[in-house]
Amino acid sequence: MSSSSTRSTAVAASRRDELATFLRLRRERITPEEVGLPGGPRRRTPGLRREEVAERAGVGVAWYTWLEQGRRINPSVQVLDAIARALLLGPAEREHLHRLAGVPGAAAGAPAQQPLPDEARTILDALNPLPAGIVSAGYDLLAFNDAYAALDPRMALRPPDDRNVLWRLFTADEESQPLVEWEREVAFMVGQLRAEFGRHLHDPRWRAYVRKLSGASPRFAEMWARHEVTAPVTHRKRFRTADGREVTITATGCTATAVPDAKIWIYTPADGHAVRVIGELLDRYRECGAAGLVAAGADGRDGRVS
């Protein structure tokens, strides 16, 4: 067997394992009452039974069991959609299911990351004073504007090759964490990463990335093992600035054809307080840089912490 055939076989086996785990975890999270079935103390299986899912989807119990065991079978799109309905999957989870099942076209990876074009930097600069950054599918921070650096100067101080948002959030000490609602936000981001992982199952760099992050953070490993899948949506989040103040922003992700496999995330202040704080931080960043903002916050010299 050629090396390419061996690799294809290994990727297919890995995809089936991911599919089996995903189906089992989605089945176990549904209570019988949610789908109109009786519960009761005699149920030993968390969530639904396999035969209940099979019946709801209109497929054979043995066939569904084989699918959940990671056996080599090829379900049709129609059958997968029936299973998605039976498991109450959302749109992002249904798309993830299609990828893991090897539906033609669903698991194709995005183009390899290209150098950022000049217009990307122009767009970021034009967005000041709104914090904005270009983030890859794997959460590498590829570029950012001054307002972004002012809001999170510790990220700006990291070497360019070390600017990964998830790595920073899962490995930073509590004092330097920029997110106020850490658990909610990182769970949302890990869910997006899981969805992207389904598009890159063929890429050993993605597997190495997940292994490295899992080894560095037990919290990440635990969240990753849930197989939760989320889609990127506009949402509010709260940041803790370097000087200890809290601001609420609305995070909006935009795709750009000039930057494939990445999004431009724009942080819009949610209220007047956030507008004022971000404006002050931006002025000070342009005066003293990221290191100056971090030092002033650590030394408590600001006097305006609230």
Side-chain angles (χ1 to χ4, degrees), residues 118-303:
D118 293 339
E119 58 265 31
R121 168 53 62 187
T122 301
I123 292 171
L124 289 178
D125 290 342
L127 286 168
N128 282 309
L130 299 182
I134 299 176
V135 182
S136 75
Y139 283 96
D140 289 319
L141 180 61
L142 306 177
F144 51 88
N145 62 9
D146 286 357
Y148 187 105
L151 186 60
D152 190 3
R154 290 184 175 88
M155 178 64 90
L157 288 173
R158 299 173 78 96
D161 290 342
D162 196 27
R163 290 176 185 151
N164 183 276
V165 178
L166 275 180
W167 184 269
R168 161 154 160 62
L169 292 176
F170 276 101
T171 61
D173 57 46
E174 184 176 352
E175 182 180 347
S176 60
Q177 287 288 352
L179 295 178
V180 176
E181 297 165 309
W182 186 92
E183 186 81 20
R184 179 175 69 88
E185 286 299 324
V186 297
F188 174 73
M189 294 166 69
V190 171
Q192 291 182 66
L193 186 71
R194 173 60 80 173
E196 290 293 343
F197 185 74
R199 297 184 177 96
H200 297 83
L201 286 172
H202 64 289
D203 193 336
R205 294 171 298 179
W206 272 74
R207 292 196 169 277
Y209 167 50
V210 171
R211 284 197 303 270
K212 182 179 179 181
L213 196 46
S214 297
S217 170
R219 296 286 297 279
F220 172 81
E222 185 272 326
M223 288 185 179
W224 186 253
R226 299 176 193 168
H227 284 250
E228 298 285 354
V229 178
T230 58
V233 293
T234 298
H235 64 290
R236 285 197 173 190
K237 59 200 305 184
R238 287 194 293 158
F239 272 89
R240 183 177 296 106
T241 67
D243 60 18
R245 290 181 285 182
E246 293 184 7
V247 294
T248 302
I249 58 91
T250 299
T252 305
C254 305
T255 58
T257 55
V259 193
D261 203 23
K263 281 185 169 56
I264 301 176
W265 282 98
I266 305 167
Y267 296 157
T268 306
D271 51 37
H273 170 73
V275 171
R276 177 176 59 82
V277 171
I278 292 174
E280 291 175 0
L281 292 173
L282 177 57
D283 289 342
R284 290 160 57 198
Y285 170 78
R286 288 172 170 170
E287 292 174 2
C288 62
L293 283 177
V294 173
D299 293 344
R301 292 196 297 264
D302 186 82

Side-chain angles (χ1 to χ4, degrees), residues 26-135:
R26 296 289 77 75
R27 173 173 58 82
E28 291 177 351
R29 77 177 181 179
I30 302 173
T31 63
E33 291 79 8
E34 286 182 277
V35 294
L37 294 173
R42 299 183 62 183
R43 297 181 67 97
R44 295 188 298 271
T45 303
L48 299 182
R49 300 185 178 102
R50 285 173 176 168
E51 56 266 28
E52 291 169 337
V53 175
E55 182 178 355
R56 283 173 50 78
V59 300
V61 176
W63 184 91
Y64 177 79
T65 299
W66 294 340
L67 188 65
E68 198 173 293
Q69 289 174 343
R71 297 200 188 185
R72 192 178 302 178
I73 53 179
N74 297 306
S76 67
V77 172
Q78 292 77 13
V79 169
L80 289 173
D81 285 343
I83 292 173
R85 290 190 293 271
L87 294 174
L88 308 180
L89 301 186
E93 293 173 315
R94 184 167 58 250
E95 183 182 356
H96 187 63
L97 175 66
H98 282 203
R99 288 194 211 98
L100 296 182
V103 172
Q113 185 65 49
Q114 301 295 322
L116 290 178
D118 293 339
E119 58 265 31
R121 168 53 62 187
T122 301
I123 292 171
L124 289 178
D125 290 342
L127 286 168
N128 282 309
L130 299 182
I134 299 176
V135 182

